[in-house]
Amino acid sequence: MAVYRLDNLALQNELKLLLNSVQIGFETGTQDFVVAEVIGYSGQFQQRNLIVNKGRRSGIGLDDPVISSGGIVGKVISVTDTYSVILPFSNPDFQLPVMNRAATVQGILNADITGTISMNLIKLGSEISAGDTIVSSNLSRLFPKGYPVGKVSRLRESQDNLFISAELVPFTLVENLEHVFILKKSQRRNNEIDD
């Protein structure tokens, strides 16, 4: 019986440490979430997906949005009873409507095969500059409006001279994550549009 009590106490201490060290650094409103530990990766380096230790038994579902303490991470693309696979924003297959924090410029977040994260399809002449904070857009159904993504590091014109792209320095370094927060879909707004 003493062994069980010691094990229980050790687990309680680990839980306290985890809850105190894993916090979200931005406003999430009334979003309900599950904390999951990154336990592995799948895929090639720039197309690498995260594997976490929570699944259906924890209430996780397909397309649930995933964040870190600093900002967006990606979305759940595969779920079993005990683990999930997350497609991160650094994967070229991930796209998300984003905007600058002033909500005057809209674009699409995606990564290229070299790992460069960009906000693309910005109308030429838009008021955006290096240092602007980029957040999730009101056009996204995956994330609520205003979740942090990154800062603009530089602007580039497209080859057709119709659009510009903003290279971003993301607030979340996917390759360094130990824990993520998986948002419960049932808490998301009903009037959002799919990404």
Side-chain angles (χ1 to χ4, degrees), residues 25-38:
F26 55 95
E27 180 58 43
T28 60
T30 61
Q31 294 289 318
D32 190 21
F33 60 86
V34 173
V35 179
E37 183 178 358
V38 176

Side-chain angles (χ1 to χ4, degrees), residues 88-107:
F89 69 84
S90 58
N91 188 309
D93 293 333
F94 184 88
Q95 292 188 349
L96 179 73
V98 292
M99 63 186 182
N100 65 346
R101 183 164 275 157
T104 57
V105 179
Q106 299 269 347

Side-chain angles (χ1 to χ4, degrees), residues 18-19 22 24 31-37 52-61 64-68 76 84 86 179-185:
L18 177 63
L19 292 176
V22 180
I24 299 173
Q31 294 289 318
D32 190 21
F33 60 86
V34 173
V35 179
E37 183 178 358
V52 297
N53 67 342
K54 298 292 170 103
R56 273 190 288 272
R57 289 184 188 158
S58 299
I60 308 303
D64 280 354
V66 182
I67 61 175
S68 71
V76 175
S84 301
I86 297 167
H179 297 90
V180 295
F181 303 92
I182 303 174
L183 303 179
K184 300 283 188 107
K185 252 202 259 187

Side-chain angles (χ1 to χ4, degrees), residues 111-135:
D112 63 20
I113 195 69
T114 67
T116 302
I117 312 297
S118 299
M119 176 180 172
N120 297 307
L121 298 177
I122 304 168
K123 285 176 44 177
L124 198 60
S126 295
E127 291 186 29
I128 188 167
S129 59
D132 284 1
T133 297
I134 304 303
V135 298

Side-chain angles (χ1 to χ4, degrees), residues 69-164:
S69 59
I72 69 161
V73 172
K75 69 178 181 177
V76 175
I77 59 169
S78 177
V79 183
T80 70
D81 284 344
T82 56
Y83 72 89
S84 301
V85 177
I86 297 167
L87 177 71
F89 69 84
S90 58
N91 188 309
D93 293 333
F94 184 88
Q95 292 188 349
L96 179 73
V98 292
M99 63 186 182
N100 65 346
R101 183 164 275 157
T104 57
V105 179
Q106 299 269 347
I108 302 294
L109 175 77
N110 62 354
D112 63 20
I113 195 69
T114 67
T116 302
I117 312 297
S118 299
M119 176 180 172
N120 297 307
L121 298 177
I122 304 168
K123 285 176 44 177
L124 198 60
S126 295
E127 291 186 29
I128 188 167
S129 59
D132 284 1
T133 297
I134 304 303
V135 298
S136 54
S137 168
N138 57 321
L139 300 176
S140 172
R141 193 164 102 190
L142 184 60
F143 291 95
K145 176 183 173 184
Y147 277 34
V149 174
K151 283 202 179 285
V152 175
S153 61
R154 74 180 187 126
L155 300 172
R156 292 179 285 127
E157 283 190 28
S158 64
Q159 293 177 348
D160 59 12
N161 292 325
L162 296 175
F163 296 100
I164 56 176

